Amino acid sequence: MKLTRRRLLGGAAAAVAGGAGIYELVEQLGTSPKRPASGVAAFDEQHLIDLRTTHSEGVEVVVPPLHSEIVTATVEDVDLARARQQLDDALASLESSYDPTTPAGLGIAVAWGVPYFARVHAAAQRHLPFDRRAQKPVLLPTRRFPSDPETTILEQNDVAFLLRSDTLAHIEAAEGVLRGLDFLHLTSVRRGFAGGGFDGKQSLPKKLALAAGVPGADLIPDTSELFLGFTSTQKSGLGPRLIANHETLGYVDLRGGYFHGGTHMHLSHISEDLEAWYLNFDFGERVVTAFAPGQKAKPNQQTVPQGPKDIHDASQMRQTFNRTGRFGHSASIQPTSRLQQDHVGPDGALYPKGTAIPQRADFNTLDNPFFFSADPARDKWTKDPAAGVHFVVFNPTGDDFERNRLAMDGQLPDGTKLDVKPRSRAQGFNSVLTTTHRQNFLVPPRRHRSFPLAELS
Amino acid sequence: MRASLVAVAAAAALAVLFVPGASATGRQCPHQWAEGWQVLANKVQAPVYCPTWMPNPLDAKIGGQYQDIYSIGKDRSYLVSFLEHGDLGSGDVHVNFRGYPGRLSVPKCPAPVGHGTTPCFSNPVAHLSANGIHATVYQVNQGADQWHILLAWHYRGTLYAVSEHVIPPYRFSTQVRRNLSLLLESLVLVRPHS
C-alpha cells in the first residue's frame, strides 16, 4: 500500500498519540515480500521458518518477517494434561488457518523456561538434554554478563511464544487465541519489525523510528535494515537450517531423545542509544565497531560480507586488540559462533569450517521495554516509544549462547580476558546498548511443543 | 590581455561583494555583544564571526550570563561557548564558536579508543550555504563539540566552526541543523583593529 506524505504524517501522528498505532503503520509503510510456499505441512523443528533471500550490495541476505511478536506467560496452577490438550488444539487451529512454514502465514515457536520444568521435575531429571561439552544442562539459569547493568531483569517466565508473520492480523489472531487460554497469565507482549530497504526504498526501521519520533531517528540511514545502520541478516552470518538443533553438532546428550529436533532460545530486550551511535561514532568507527578493526567498507555501505573467508579467529582477535585497543562486535563473537573445523551432522550434512552456528530472529522495536507488561513498575514500562531490539537467538545449548555473549565482552572460552572496561566503546556495540531483560528457554521439537514432559510426570 | 585584466577586476569586485559574513544587509554585531567579539578579534589578530541570532534562550555576549568557555590557544585558535543549563527541566542549550587563524585543515583530537588521534570534526553529511559562507556539516565531533552538529568553513586562510549540542530542548539533529542554518545566516565578521 502506497501512502501520500499527508497520509503518512497523519498515521505518524496517530502512532505517537497511541502506542499500538506504531505497529499498524508497518503494514501501511511496508511491502510484504513475496514468499513461495515451502511445500511441506510443517517442520519437525518449531524454530524453523522458510525465509527467502535477496541481494543487498552484492551480498545474499535473508529477508526477515515484517512483524514479530513475543508473548510471555506464567502457567496457572492447573491440570497440566488438560492444559496440554487445550494448547495443542489452539496451536493446531492456528496452523490450519495460517501456513506455519512461512511468514506469508504464521510461524509459531513455543519455548519453555526453567520455572516450567521445575513443575515437571521428575520427568525433567530424566529427559532434559545435557551439554557434554560444557558438562552442564542445556537449559541454564539466566545470568547477567559483564557488560549488563545490575538493573538487567532476569525473568522467570514459564513460557514464551514467538510469532512471526508478514501480516499483522495473523499475529493478532494468534495473540487473541493465547489470551483466551485461561491457564496462561500473560506477563508481557513484545512487538517489533525488521527489514525493507533492500530494494533501495526507505526501510521500515527508519520510517517507524521517524514516525514514533525517537531520538536519533533522523540519523538512521534511509535504507537500513535495522536501527544501527547495518544489515545483520547476511545469509552466511546465520546458522543454516538444522545447525542449531541440539543433536547436530554433537555437543548434547539427548538422553532418551525426547528433545531431538529441539533447540535453545535466548530472549532479551536491549535498548539502543541511537544518538550516541550516530553522533559519537563516525562511519569508519561504526564499521570497525560493528564488524572488526581494519574492516574495509565503502562509504555508507550497509551490507558488509560476513562469509567464512571474512571471519576472525581468537588469535586474530587478540592480535588486533593488542594493536588497536579495540575489538569489533562480529570479530569478537566469530571465534565462538563459527565452526572452527568442518563438521558432518548426524544426517550426513557437511557444515564447513567458518559456518555460523546461531540462528538469530531478532527484530527492532519501539516498545519501552514491552508493548504490554503485567508488572509495569518492575519492568519500568512506559508508553513513550524508544529504540531497541528484542533479541531472539537459537543455539544448540545455553552454554553455546553464553560463550558467544561472553566473547562479545572480551572473555574467550580459553580463559582469555581482554583488558577492556565492560561498557567501553572499544568493545563493539556495548557502549550504546543496554540490556533490560533476559531469559533462557528450551524450544522442544514440534511434537512436544505443548507442555513438554507433562505427559510423563 | 585586456580580457584577462577585466576578468581579474571582475573577480576582485565579486570578492568584495561576497565577503562571507559581511552582510549586504548592513547587519552588524549587536551593540551589547560587539565589544567582547572585538576584543577577541584583536587578541587573535584575525577576523572573528559574531552571531546576530542565537537559539533561545542564549545570547552571545562574551562575559555575559550565558558565556561558558573562553579559551585562546598559543596558536591563536579560540573557543567561545555559550551554555544554558536547564536545571529545572527546560534542557541544555549549548553553542560553540571556534576559529583557527592560519589553519585550514581540521585539527586532530585524541582518539576515543587507543593512543592515536582522530579528526576533531568528522562524518561530513551535507553542505550548507548562507550569507556567502559555504559550510560543511559534520555529524561526529570531539572534545567540547561531542554530541554536537558542527558547521565548518574557511575564510582567508582560517578555519571557522560553529556547533550546537543535540540535547533537549533541541532533541533532534534536524532541529539543531535548522538552528545552525539560522546562525550561519546571522554571522557578521568582526575584523581586528590594527
Side-chain angles (χ1 to χ4, degrees):
Chain A
M1 176 177 178
K2 291 190 174 165
L3 284 184
T4 62
R5 178 172 169 75
R6 190 171 171 188
R7 288 178 70 187
L8 169 60
L9 293 176
V16 172
I22 291 173
Y23 298 114
E24 284 162 8
L25 278 179
V26 175
E27 295 210 306
Q28 295 172 334
L29 300 176
T31 308
S32 292
K34 289 193 174 69
R35 309 268 188 189
S38 65
V40 297
F43 302 113
D44 291 342
E45 292 79 8
Q46 289 194 77
H47 58 289
L48 292 186
I49 186 168
D50 256 345
L51 299 169
R52 75 173 181 90
T53 64
T54 186
H55 282 79
S56 168
E57 298 177 285
V59 178
E60 188 175 15
V61 295
V62 170
V63 180
L66 286 182
H67 305 272
S68 295
E69 179 169 313
I70 303 270
V71 176
T72 61
T74 54
V75 177
E76 306 288 358
D77 190 12
V78 293
D79 173 13
L80 292 187
R82 185 183 67 86
R84 183 168 184 265
Q85 190 59 53
Q86 280 184 289
L87 179 58
D88 243 346
D89 291 347
L91 296 171
S93 163
L94 284 167
E95 288 181 350
S96 69
S97 301
Y98 309 111
D99 181 351
T101 64
T102 161
L106 174 69
I108 307 173
V110 191
W112 299 86
V114 169
Y116 167 73
F117 287 108
R119 297 172 69 158
V120 290
H121 179 71
Q125 290 271 9
R126 293 194 305 276
H127 291 282
L128 281 183
F130 187 78
D131 185 339
R132 283 190 289 243
R133 181 176 62 164
Q135 287 297 299
K136 296 173 183 172
V138 163
L139 179 60
L140 297 170
T142 309
R143 57 165 289 180
R144 293 188 187 88
F145 295 90
S147 60
D148 285 343
E150 287 181 3
T151 53
T152 302
I153 294 170
L154 305 180
E155 296 186 273
Q156 293 290 323
N157 294 296
D158 284 319
V159 61
F161 299 86
L162 169 62
L163 310 171
R164 293 182 279 181
S165 180
D166 292 331
T167 306
L168 187 59
H170 298 180
I171 286 178
E172 288 175 339
E175 185 188 318
V177 166
L178 296 175
R179 284 186 182 276
L181 297 171
D182 60 4
F183 51 82
L184 292 181
H185 170 68
L186 266 54
T187 52
S188 75
V189 175
R190 314 172 191 202
R191 290 185 173 175
F193 48 86
F198 292 141
D199 54 3
K201 294 177 186 159
Q202 197 176 50
S203 68
L204 276 176
K206 172 79 174 187
K207 287 174 181 168
L208 273 287
L210 283 173
V214 297
D218 48 324
L219 304 169
I220 301 168
D222 262 5
T223 56
S224 176
E225 183 191 35
L226 294 165
F227 288 147
L228 294 182
F230 295 110
T231 302
S232 84
T233 57
Q234 292 89 336
K235 188 177 180 196
S236 56
L238 297 172
R241 202 156 190 82
L242 302 183
I243 199 167
N245 285 24
H246 296 312
E247 67 275 11
T248 300
L249 295 179
Y251 300 157
V252 176
D253 175 358
L254 280 168
R255 328 268 302 267
Y258 188 97
F259 285 92
H260 187 281
T263 188
H264 177 276
M265 181 177 98
H266 183 80
L267 168 67
S268 56
H269 170 263
I270 303 167
S271 295
E272 297 182 337
D273 188 340
L274 301 185
E275 278 186 338
W277 180 236
Y278 287 110
L279 290 177
N280 292 337
F281 294 67
D282 65 23
F283 177 73
E285 192 180 2
R286 292 202 298 274
V287 170
V288 300
T289 299
F291 298 98
Q295 174 72 56
K296 299 275 187 285
K298 295 178 198 148
N300 302 316
Q301 185 174 350
Q302 293 173 13
T303 305
V304 175
Q306 292 290 281
K309 67 178 174 43
D310 303 308
I311 66 172
H312 291 65
D313 61 25
S315 100
Q316 284 173 303
M317 180 188 171
R318 276 188 287 264
Q319 286 169 12
T320 307
F321 176 72
N322 290 337
R323 196 176 70 248
T324 65
R326 68 162 79 231
F327 51 89
H329 174 73
S330 295
S332 68
I333 292 175
Q334 284 162 350
T336 58
S337 71
R338 301 296 185 111
L339 286 179
Q340 299 302 301
Q341 61 268 318
D342 292 353
H343 179 83
V344 178
D347 60 354
L350 171 66
Y351 299 95
K353 178 183 177 182
T355 301
I357 300 168
Q359 292 176 341
R360 283 182 288 104
D362 50 305
F363 52 95
N364 273 150
T365 185
L366 293 161
D367 293 349
N368 193 4
F370 305 145
F371 181 75
F372 157 79
S373 166
D375 191 346
R378 183 201 75 152
D379 290 329
K380 298 183 176 64
W381 180 89
T382 161
K383 65 179 173 51
D384 299 330
V389 60
H390 289 303
F391 188 77
V392 180
V393 64
F394 303 109
N395 291 72
T397 73
D399 173 73
D400 197 57
F401 165 73
E402 289 194 355
R403 285 169 185 246
N404 296 339
R405 185 58 188 78
L406 285 166
M408 183 176 159
D409 286 352
Q411 298 189 9
L412 304 182
D414 66 3
T416 302
K417 288 187 180 177
L418 301 181
D419 183 20
V420 55
K421 291 197 171 107
R423 299 193 56 74
S424 159
R425 68 197 277 172
Q427 245 202 55
F429 287 128
N430 284 346
S431 70
V432 298
L433 304 181
T434 305
T435 304
T436 68
H437 293 72
R438 290 192 179 283
Q439 190 173 358
N440 293 326
F441 296 90
L442 270 193
V443 183
R446 187 175 300 276
R447 64 185 180 279
H448 294 311
R449 64 184 169 179
S450 179
F451 290 88
L453 302 174
E455 76 280 16
L456 302 178
S457 292
Chain B
M1 183 67 180
R2 180 181 160 75
S4 298
L5 283 173
V6 169
V8 168
L14 277 173
V16 170
L17 281 175
F18 293 103
V19 172
S23 171
T25 63
R27 203 162 33 199
Q28 293 187 327
C29 189
H31 177 67
Q32 302 92 321
W33 308 349
E35 183 185 351
W37 291 95
Q38 186 63 61
V39 169
L40 176 65
N42 294 347
K43 279 187 179 169
V44 302
Q45 280 300 294
V48 300
Y49 284 91
C50 164
T52 60
W53 176 89
M54 287 287 277
N56 187 41
L58 298 181
D59 64 30
K61 181 176 168 60
I62 293 173
Q65 64 169 317
Y66 296 112
Q67 187 212 296
D68 183 36
I69 300 171
Y70 183 87
S71 164
I72 300 174
K74 286 180 184 165
D75 61 354
R76 297 186 291 140
S77 65
Y78 67 87
L79 164 62
V80 179
S81 76
F82 299 90
L83 172 66
E84 158 72 354
H85 266 312
D87 293 333
L88 298 177
S90 60
D92 288 3
V93 185
H94 186 197
V95 174
N96 291 337
F97 294 89
R98 290 181 180 275
Y100 300 85
R103 173 179 196 132
L104 290 176
S105 60
V106 172
K108 297 283 188 185
C109 285
V113 174
H115 303 295
T117 60
T118 192
C120 294
F121 322 144
S122 61
N123 235 52
V125 292
H127 296 280
L128 266 182
S129 290
N131 194 20
I133 299 171
H134 305 290
T136 302
V137 183
Y138 290 95
Q139 190 168 287
V140 179
N141 304 292
Q142 308 295 329
D145 298 303
Q146 197 172 20
W147 291 82
H148 288 219
I149 303 287
L150 180 143
L151 307 184
W153 67 96
H154 297 142
Y155 174 62
R156 293 205 172 171
T158 292
L159 174 68
Y160 292 92
V162 57
S163 74
E164 183 182 351
H165 198 165
V166 181
I167 189 171
Y170 299 110
R171 191 73 182 88
F172 296 96
S173 67
T174 45
Q175 295 171 309
V176 168
R177 280 171 70 163
R178 204 172 303 127
N179 284 350
L180 289 170
S181 181
L182 292 169
L183 266 166
L184 196 66
E185 178 69 37
S186 84
L187 295 177
V188 293
L189 268 177
V190 176
R191 297 174 192 284
H193 293 152
S194 52

